[in-house]
Amino acid sequence: MTEEPPDYSKEEKISGLIDQVSAYIEQYHRGSVELVAIDGNIVKVRLGGACEGCPLLPATLQGWVAGTLRQFFPDVKVIAVD
């Protein structure tokens, strides 16, 4: 008998992806990404650590965070909140 993989919700999958991106950003850039809320197809995140005030924050948000999520969920929009 083959064991079925867990059936994670969309929210759980998005949270896991954000955790993975944040781990990379923390390790290599001393920044962080925190999931704040998911409202339909809008994913709200907070960037912290070295990301605060960094001129590359928009690129990090759209390139790494949104880009990673859109690979799996093409319909999501990622926005940064305070």
Side-chain angles (χ1 to χ4, degrees), residues 4-82:
E4 291 292 319
D7 187 25
Y8 294 109
S9 70
K10 177 181 176 180
E11 290 77 13
E12 290 171 318
K13 292 174 184 176
I14 288 173
S15 178
L17 285 169
I18 289 174
D19 286 347
Q20 290 179 9
V21 171
S22 185
Y24 174 84
I25 292 171
E26 287 174 29
Q27 181 172 357
Y28 294 102
H29 302 276
R30 294 194 171 95
S32 64
V33 182
E34 172 190 359
L35 176 62
V36 175
I38 301 172
D39 185 12
N41 288 331
I42 305 295
V43 177
K44 298 176 183 178
V45 297
R46 180 177 297 115
L47 284 90
C51 291
E52 292 182 59
C54 177
L56 295 177
L57 187 141
T60 299
L61 178 67
Q62 292 307 315
W64 283 348
V65 182
T68 299
L69 289 178
R70 280 195 303 264
Q71 288 179 30
F72 300 93
F73 303 98
D75 55 340
V76 301
K77 180 178 180 185
V78 179
I79 60 172
V81 297
D82 292 330

